[in-house]
Structure formats: structure tokens, C-alpha cells
Amino acid sequence: MAPGTATMTAGPARAVRTSLSITDNRTGRTYEIPVEDGTIRAMDLRQIKESPDDFGLMTYDPAFMNTASCRSRITFIDGDKGILRYRGYPIEQLARHSSYLEVALLILSGQLPTRAAYDDWLFNVTHHTLVHENIKEFISGFRYDAHPMGTLLATVGALSTFYPESKQVHDPLVRHHQVCRLIAKIPTLAAFAYRHSMGLPYVHPDNDLSYCGNFLQMMFKIGAYQVNPVLERALEVLFILHADHEQNCSTSAMRSVGSSGADPYCAAAGAIGALYGPLHGGANEAVLRMLREIGSKDRVPAFVKDVKESGGEVRLMGFGHRVYKNYDPRARIIKEMADLVFTVTGRNPLLDIALELERIALEDDYFLSRKLYPNVDFYSGLIYQAMGFPVEMFPVLFAIPRMTGWLAQWEEMLEDADQKIARPRQVYLGAGARDFVPMDRRPVQEK
Ligand code: ACO
């Protein structure tokens, strides 16, 4: 049987290991649906009808809790075991031995690069870091205190108008140019967005510095500025950890917008919008706010009690994950990184509250029974704050490295013959057909 085709059988289905037998109790008919890679195709359910004019069976899956929207070869997560791998390589090894740009090329190309391929990539990214002077004028139109994530979203989207050839999304060479541009320019746009919000003059990219070193100087340089190698490496590791995370909310937005054939700047602007939300990229900002509100270690038990008694309204930010039902492996690496960063910056006083929160939560059945463990955001905000980044920059610091994942997933989507424009179905529960009533004849509605 060709993959993805289903057959209806008159009697009980012959159970084979690669299929699922479904009996429709409304009609008594049995269907044999192929099982491929642990999934059935939702379209195979469409043939299951109560009557010939029935639309056919659909699945109802709000928030995509159990629906695979694509086949991917980029990132593997085992949420129960706490495993994360990019292209097969464990995140721990990449964080220890690699650089962000090497990991970016690995994620985009599928292979650890040769020296020549890496040098070529490095040269390309380094020489695309400048942005058109018009971008500065564009940014100056934002209010003096504009949130840098809003400015970033708008400027990334605006790049679409600077590179109209980017609309040729099915040309791999054109795509490659936009990938280089977006990865190279996003730190510049991010730093400009920050400096605008602070009323500071922009600092141009320095091509003699590393990707992260250059970003740090564009952010913080006022007069002489020396990049601290410990902080530079810490940022490198944080960028590696955030580079991709398979089909999360913002990546799904990237794929979804891109599926209409929109250019990557528009699709990435959509992804940045998704990342901006407090349940996604805004969570580490919320963690810091929460730690500040708690205020001291001795108030941790009372806060945990509030969380448990709130019926889900008060959340322990930086805890829990849709996929990880174990310690997020990224959180473990970040926790180790915090000690290193604090040797340079001094200890962040909120760390003690965070450690106490983690200790108490991980002894409490409320969190254990729901498999709520620290996620990537629990400690990252503490490091970013110690490094001098204001909380408004936290989602921006997430968006910079995630650009790699978004672009890799976008390209994979475009090259996947199974993909079409993303367009979910709905279960309509609204009013049936009714006739228009002129305004003066409509009944008065009670408030
Ligand atoms: N604190 C307290 N309770 C929680 C938390 C939390 N952080 N997260 C989930 N729960 C509880 C829910 O109230 C629910 O309890 P119930 O079964 O009694 O109703 C149960 O755990 C399941 O929670 P869901 O909301 O169904 O889990 P979901 O997978 O939809 O949510 C999410 C995942 C959004 C990450 C959630 O855990 C959360 O809000 N965490 C805090 C925000 C956060 O840290 N986000 C960053 C995620 S990582 C990232 O985006 C990079």
C-alpha cells in the first residue's frame, strides 16, 4: 500500500503492525489506517463518514498538543529524558566545544562544517553586519522609550522592502543570501533598538570581533570598550542553547507565515511577534520580575503556597514546559554558566532566591506530579542582568540566536514536498444561517 493511503474493509480489519484499525460505531464500518513514523495522517480520517454527504472525520487539537505539523531533521528533543540534540549532536557537547556561528551552520546545513566552509560562512556573516543608513532614520521614528523587541520586529520586517529579490523563496541561492543577511544583521538591529531606547548614539559593527564580541561592543560601548572574554564566551553558549527548539510557538509562526510564500523578513517578523509573548520569549523577563517581587529567601515558601492555591493563575515563571517533563538540559548548562559569569560581574543577589525556589519546588508534590522543572528561562535572566542587559532586552537576546532555527525550519518547510500553505480546520459552533435584519427592526438587546 502506498504510504498515506487508507483502505476501508467490510469486516474486521487484519491487524498488521504498521496500521491502525478503526471501527466507526456510528456505521459499524472498519478502516485500516497506515501508521508511519508513529503517526497517522489526519487526511486518512477524512474517508470516515457517517453518510455520503458528511464532510468526514477531523481531529480536534487546540494548541497542537498531539499533532505533528511536519517531518524535520533539524532538532531532536526527548522531553521525558531531558535530551536536546541539533542534527544529532548533544547540546552539552556543542555548548562545550563549539561557537555559535559553527552551530548555526550545522543547524542550517545539517553537517559540522569543514574549515573552508566555516571560514567562508564566517566571512559572509561578518561582511553583512552593516545595515542601510535608512534603517537608522526608520528607528528614530519610534518613541524615545520604545520596547526594543517592538523595534526589532518592525525593522526585521522592514528589511523586506530593502531586499525585494528575497521574494524568490524557491531559489536556494537567493535564500542563502537572505539567511546570511538576517543572521548577520539581527545583532546590529537589536543593538540599535536598544541604543535608541536609551537615547545613545549607534555603534557600528566591528568586523574584527567575534559575533558575540561585536554584539557586546555595539550594545555597551561608550568611549573605550574592551570585550570581556568570559562574558563573550557566556553569551556564545547562551546563543548556542537558544539556536533552535523544533516546533515551538515562534518557529511554527515562521513556518506558517512562510508557507504562504512570504519572504523570510516578513516570516521572521511574525516569529519575533510570537516570541514576544510572556509564555514564550518573555518568560525570563517575568522570572526576574517574580524574583524581585518575592524579595527575599524567607518569602519563598509563601510564594510557592500562593502558586499552588491559585488554581493555575499564579505561575512559577521559568518552570514547566510543553515538551520537557524533566529538567530542561539547557537550564542545567545555564546554571553552571551563571557561576562563571558571576566571577566577573559579582553575584546577582536574586540568585539565592532562585536557588531556594528551585529547591523548595523540586521537593513539592504539586510540581513533581505535574512534571514542572526549571526551563531555559529560569536562570538566563539572572545572567543577562548581571552582564548589564536591561530586562527589555531579554526577548531580543532570545530572538538573535533563534533566527538560525527559524531560517533552517523555514528552508526545510520550503523544500518539503508534503507542505502546503498552513491552514487549519475549525469546528464551527456558531449560529446557523439567518436573514439580515435592518437596524431599526432589530430587538433591543438587554445589557
Ligand atoms: N507554575 C505553576 N503551575 C504550572 C506551571 C507553572 N509555571 N506550569 C504549568 N503549571 C500547571 C498548570 O496550572 C496545570 O495544572 P492543572 O493540571 O492543575 O490544571 C499543569 O501544570 C499543566 O499546565 P499547562 O498550562 O497545561 O501546561 P502547558 O504545556 O500548556 O504549558 C508552559 C507550558 C506555558 C511553559 C507553562 O508551564 C508555563 O506557563 N510556564 C511558565 C512560563 C514559562 O516559564 N515559559 C517559558 C517556557 S520555555 C520557552 O518558551 C523558551
Side-chain angles (χ1 to χ4, degrees):
M1 192 192 308
T5 54
T7 53
M8 191 183 83
T9 56
R14 188 172 51 90
V16 288
R17 265 183 61 213
T18 53
S19 74
L20 181 74
S21 300
I22 299 178
T23 301
D24 184 348
N25 292 326
R26 299 171 303 177
T27 60
R29 290 197 195 108
T30 298
Y31 303 80
E32 193 173 325
I33 311 277
V35 175
E36 218 182 326
D37 298 326
T39 63
I40 59 163
R41 289 189 178 239
M43 280 303 286
D44 282 347
L45 300 177
R46 189 70 75 72
Q47 63 177 318
I48 304 178
K49 298 182 178 196
E50 208 172 359
S51 60
D53 57 350
D54 183 0
F55 182 76
L57 204 64
M58 293 192 293
T59 55
Y60 174 59
D61 189 9
F64 306 115
M65 296 288 287
N66 195 36
T67 294
S69 62
C70 62
R71 293 158 187 266
S72 182
R73 292 181 167 77
I74 301 174
T75 291
F76 173 80
I77 301 175
D78 183 328
D80 290 328
K81 296 197 181 113
I83 292 174
L84 170 61
R85 296 184 202 128
Y86 298 152
R87 301 285 189 182
Y89 296 100
I91 193 68
E92 294 79 5
Q93 291 182 23
L94 294 171
R96 190 176 297 274
H97 301 296
S98 198
S99 68
Y100 166 66
L101 280 186
E102 187 184 28
V103 170
L105 191 51
L106 165 71
I107 289 174
L108 286 157
S109 71
Q111 306 298 333
L112 279 173
T114 58
R115 168 62 58 195
Y118 180 69
D119 287 347
D120 191 43
W121 167 244
L122 196 64
F123 181 87
N124 260 323
V125 171
T126 309
H127 289 85
H128 277 104
T129 48
L130 276 173
V131 293
H132 196 287
E133 285 292 297
N134 281 1
I135 290 280
K136 289 189 197 161
E137 289 165 34
F138 183 72
I139 293 179
S140 69
F142 283 92
R143 273 179 64 101
Y144 68 96
D145 58 352
H147 195 294
M149 191 67 162
T151 308
L152 182 72
L153 186 156
T155 46
V156 166
L159 289 182
S160 161
T161 65
F162 289 76
Y163 306 112
E165 75 277 14
S166 65
K167 306 212 171 330
Q168 296 160 39
V169 294
H170 296 293
D171 182 331
L173 199 62
V174 172
R175 280 206 308 263
H176 180 68
H177 278 130
Q178 317 318 314
V179 166
C180 290
R181 281 181 175 140
L182 270 164
I183 291 181
K185 291 183 199 311
I186 191 169
T188 313
L189 295 174
F192 281 15
Y194 164 70
R195 293 190 74 107
H196 172 76
S197 73
M198 299 298 287
L200 289 166
Y202 303 129
V203 175
H204 284 275
D206 180 342
N207 291 350
D208 291 332
L209 295 175
S210 72
Y211 191 82
C212 291
N214 175 46
F215 175 59
L216 286 171
Q217 70 93 24
M218 286 192 292
M219 280 288 302
F220 297 123
K221 186 171 176 174
I222 297 173
Y225 180 80
Q226 199 70 38
V227 177
N228 182 297
V230 173
L231 302 188
E232 184 181 10
R233 180 63 200 160
L235 194 60
E236 194 93 44
V237 172
L238 284 157
F239 278 9
I240 291 171
L241 300 181
H242 285 87
D244 192 49
H245 212 234
E246 51 118 310
Q247 308 312 314
N248 55 83
C249 180
S250 56
T251 302
S252 302
M254 180 86 190
R255 279 180 173 260
S256 202
V257 177
S259 75
S260 72
D263 69 58
Y265 303 103
C266 294
I272 293 173
L275 189 65
Y276 201 173
L279 296 184
H280 191 10
N284 52 7
E285 184 174 344
V287 170
L288 272 202
R289 219 176 305 117
M290 173 188 76
L291 294 175
R292 279 203 211 105
E293 268 165 33
I294 296 172
S296 61
K297 250 172 87 170
D298 55 305
R299 293 174 61 187
V300 168
F303 176 76
V304 171
K305 189 165 172 275
D306 280 355
V307 170
K308 287 162 45 178
E309 289 173 358
S310 73
E313 218 154 277
V314 182
R315 292 208 162 192
L316 177 43
M317 299 309 285
F319 259 64
H321 198 277
R322 172 60 59 79
V323 178
Y324 292 116
K325 301 302 168 195
N326 200 325
Y327 213 102
D328 181 337
R330 300 168 300 174
R332 218 182 283 283
I333 299 168
I334 291 179
K335 200 174 165 186
E336 286 165 20
M337 189 59 57
D339 291 330
L340 200 64
V341 168
F342 295 155
T343 58
V344 175
T345 62
R347 195 177 163 87
N348 188 328
L350 296 176
L351 178 67
D352 292 327
I353 303 176
L355 289 169
E356 183 69 355
L357 257 180
E358 180 185 334
R359 189 186 68 76
I360 291 188
L362 295 186
E363 282 175 355
D364 193 306
D365 191 53
Y366 176 94
F367 298 94
L368 294 176
S369 63
R370 288 171 178 76
K371 299 189 175 167
L372 300 171
Y373 294 89
N375 61 45
V376 67
D377 291 313
F378 194 63
Y379 289 105
S380 62
L382 292 173
I383 300 187
Y384 286 143
Q385 193 186 44
M387 288 172 82
F389 290 103
V391 286
E392 293 74 26
M393 281 301 284
F394 291 1
V396 173
L397 288 160
F398 196 154
I400 296 171
R402 186 52 60 84
M403 185 59 78
T404 287
W406 291 335
L407 290 166
Q409 301 270 353
W410 168 73
E411 287 215 275
E412 190 176 62
M413 181 269 304
L414 288 169
E415 287 178 348
D416 182 347
D418 269 0
Q419 294 293 336
K420 290 172 181 284
I421 184 167
R423 203 319 186 170
R425 291 278 173 183
Q426 65 165 8
V427 179
Y428 179 71
L429 299 177
R434 45 185 173 168
D435 289 323
F436 181 81
V437 180
M439 205 176 275
D440 55 5
R441 278 195 242 146
R442 289 174 207 163
V444 178
Q445 305 233 334
E446 278 180 37
K447 287 197 181 152

